[in-house]
Amino acid sequence: MCRHLAYLGPPVALATVLYDPPHSLSRQSWAPRDMRGGGTINADGFGVGWYPPPAAGGAGTPIRYRRAQPMWSDTTLPDLAVSTTTGAVLAAVRSATVGMPVLEVAAAPFAEGRWLFSHNGVVRDWPDSVLGLAADLPVRDLLTLDAPTDSALLWALVRHRLRAGGDPARAVADTVTRVASAAPGSRLNLLLTDGRQVVASVAGHALSARVDGDAVLLASEPVDDHPEWWAVPDGHLLVATADGVRTHALTP
Ligand code: GLN
């Protein structure tokens, strides 16, 4: 299953998040430690979205770089990552669920406006289990799904709530609980950020967190062996802001 991460904190080079740690996201693309039976490597594309710091002219809208190839084989991102500074990142490496296409548009992060979104997991009995939930979306959203994948539908469900002015934590919690009840056994670890806060669900997959001063890093797998990593318990929602990290039981 895919690996994803989010960083929020003082501006750093992208490389310090993506490449430099001993068990970095780049390494997790070919040597993940905790795939829980969902594939062996994350070779079906990758993506990174980041927010340019306000001092560098950033207006709150993220920039994305995605490819439908393994992260380890990309020769552009390493240089970009060394020379790009940012205080908020969402990145993912993908292991496509069997039957789902390997396309750049299917690689997280999905984006709209200031939002970035990622899904680590699978919707069980796709697509029949979630036909009823999809039917609640505007037809236009279904005709313009980013990709014909479970993750793209989850993004459309979350985005629908955000467009209506919904609270981001509630949008994630409601989507996870409704999909979990329609499709039991699904794995629904989501990440959502606007560059100022990160909302993460832990539902069927691992997520670890590390707070270091005013920086927070969330990752499917710890990127190093630092003792301060802690595993967010399953069935929880985590909200990270500049003020710290809060966790709640995952309820609608
Ligand atoms: N099911 C999603 C996809 O195919 C996510 C896969 C994953 O977490 N490995 O893109």
Side-chain angles (χ1 to χ4, degrees), residues 44-98:
D44 302 321
F46 67 92
V48 50
W50 68 92
Y51 297 79
T61 307
I63 295 170
R64 266 190 308 174
Y65 181 83
R66 297 183 295 168
R67 289 291 179 264
Q69 68 189 59
M71 186 176 179
W72 71 76
S73 72
D74 186 87
T75 55
T76 300
L77 188 57
D79 288 345
L80 197 62
V82 167
S83 56
T84 300
T85 300
T86 177
V89 183
L90 196 160
V93 290
R94 181 170 181 236
S95 170
T97 296
V98 173

Side-chain angles (χ1 to χ4, degrees), residues 1-2 38 42 94-97 100 106 119-123 149-151:
M1 292 286 151
C2 312
N42 296 288
R94 181 170 181 236
S95 170
T97 296
M100 297 197 185
H119 165 224
N120 165 210
V122 62
V123 172
T149 64
D150 53 358
S151 304

